[in-house]
Every structure is written in structure tokens, then in C-alpha cells.
Amino acid sequence: MADKGEEQRRATPAATPSAAPSAVPSVVPSAAPAGPAAEPPVPPARPLDSIDRDILRILQTDGRASIRSVAERVHVSRANAYARINRLVEDGVIRGFGARVDHERAGQGASAYITLKIVQNSWRTVREQLQALPGATHIALVSGDFDVLLLVHTPDNRALRELVLTRIQSIPEVLSTRTLLVFEETDLGPRPDRPAELA
């Protein structure tokens, strides 16, 4: 790739923040716009008890588990299990149900972490554009030497190069990028042999 591991810089009148904003939800990032453009606050989730945590462990390990199976494993009625799962969804604790995919076997043979430096106060604008990218699977606002960490999966290195040079670097608020190719990855999703999850 043209930018393998090397930072790509483009002229821009704006400057990057001297310290990138924190991604910790309890801290208001400096990149968040003030005033009416700010996103409405999310109501706090209700406290979880041990049964809720057991349900989360089961669903993280097997998102296809039936209500009956979940109820039996946590020793509550089906109605109770159903109500608890609905509450976890309503509170935003469970954000969705999906499959963990082997991207290489699914035809996405090239993976990379891409770091971005962005214009101050542009996080939400940049995030919307990154979410629309093909193959983007994880986006994080972080602290440190760069502002955004993006994980992408593409069919091959040529597609990855086009994604970085044509799509990402054309976003006006992106000041620079650095591409870190992934040679091998291991999914550390929840497993039954890791009982400490959500303890």
C-alpha cells in the first residue's frame, strides 16, 4: 500500500487538538460540539443483578439461545427471562444480536487498523462518514497520538488501498491517516471457559 505504516498528511487550515479527547463515556470529549447540535443524553441503564449478568454471558456466547434455554440455565421462569432480556435491550445494554464472522473465510482477506487525526470538534461528522464505509467494523474515539481508531476488512490489499486513499483521505475533516496491516487475528469473544466475564 502507498501508505504502509506511514502517516499521510494533507494541508488544512485547522489544527489537531494538542491532546486527543478521551473515549471514556463519563468524560465529555473536547471534540463534541456544544449547543443544540449535541446528541441527546442517553438515560442511565438500570442496575444489573447476578441473573442479568448470567443472561448476558449466555447470549454473548450463543446469541441464538432460546428464551426457554436461557430461563432454564439461570433458573427463572420463561416470562421472567423474556422480561429481563427486553429490559436489557430497552436500556441499551444489549445493542443487538449477530454472528461472529471469520472475515478471511467470508472473502475479506485484507484487514487493517487505521488511525486518523481529525479536525477538532469534527468527531460526529467524521464518525457518520466512517460508518458508511464498506468493511468498517469498529470505530473508536481515543486518546493519545491520534484521535480515531478504525478497523476495516476488505477483499484484498488493492481494495484496502482504495478505501484509505480514495474514501478516507477525501473526508475534509481527516488531517492524516496511518494504516496498520493485520497479519493474523484471534477473536476473543466470550466463551464458557472464561467464567470471569462480566463478573
Side-chain angles (χ1 to χ4, degrees), residues 114-118 126 130 146-148 150 168 174 176-177:
I114 302 169
T115 68
L116 296 83
K117 290 186 179 180
I118 62 175
V126 172
L130 295 179
F146 48 86
D147 305 309
V148 179
L150 170 67
I168 297 176
V174 173
S176 65
T177 69

Side-chain angles (χ1 to χ4, degrees), residues 57-58 61 73 100 187-197:
R57 268 192 288 268
I58 292 167
T61 303
R73 292 167 67 179
R100 293 199 299 272
D187 183 6
L188 297 180
R191 302 192 310 260
D193 60 334
R194 288 218 295 260
E197 294 281 345

Side-chain angles (χ1 to χ4, degrees), residues 47-57 84 87-88:
L48 305 184
D49 61 19
S50 60
I51 294 177
D52 292 325
R53 290 187 173 86
D54 286 343
I55 289 173
L56 289 176
R57 268 192 288 268
R84 284 174 178 270
R87 177 171 58 80
L88 292 169

Side-chain angles (χ1 to χ4, degrees), residues 90-173:
E90 289 171 2
D91 285 357
V93 177
I94 295 177
R95 297 186 298 174
F97 299 87
R100 293 199 299 272
V101 176
D102 183 317
H103 294 282
E104 187 172 359
R105 294 180 67 86
Q108 303 290 303
S111 300
Y113 285 96
I114 302 169
T115 68
L116 296 83
K117 290 186 179 180
I118 62 175
V119 173
Q120 189 172 12
N121 299 326
S122 66
W123 160 239
R124 288 185 174 85
T125 300
V126 172
R127 179 180 60 187
E128 289 178 4
Q129 297 179 75
L130 295 179
Q131 286 174 333
L133 294 175
T137 58
H138 184 78
I139 305 168
L141 179 66
V142 298
S143 63
D145 295 332
F146 48 86
D147 305 309
V148 179
L149 182 63
L150 170 67
L151 174 61
V152 298
H153 302 281
T154 61
D156 51 40
N157 283 343
R158 180 172 181 173
L160 177 59
R161 180 180 183 275
E162 288 300 310
L163 183 69
V164 174
L165 300 183
T166 304
R167 298 289 297 273
I168 297 176
Q169 290 187 3
S170 68
I171 298 173
E173 295 83 5

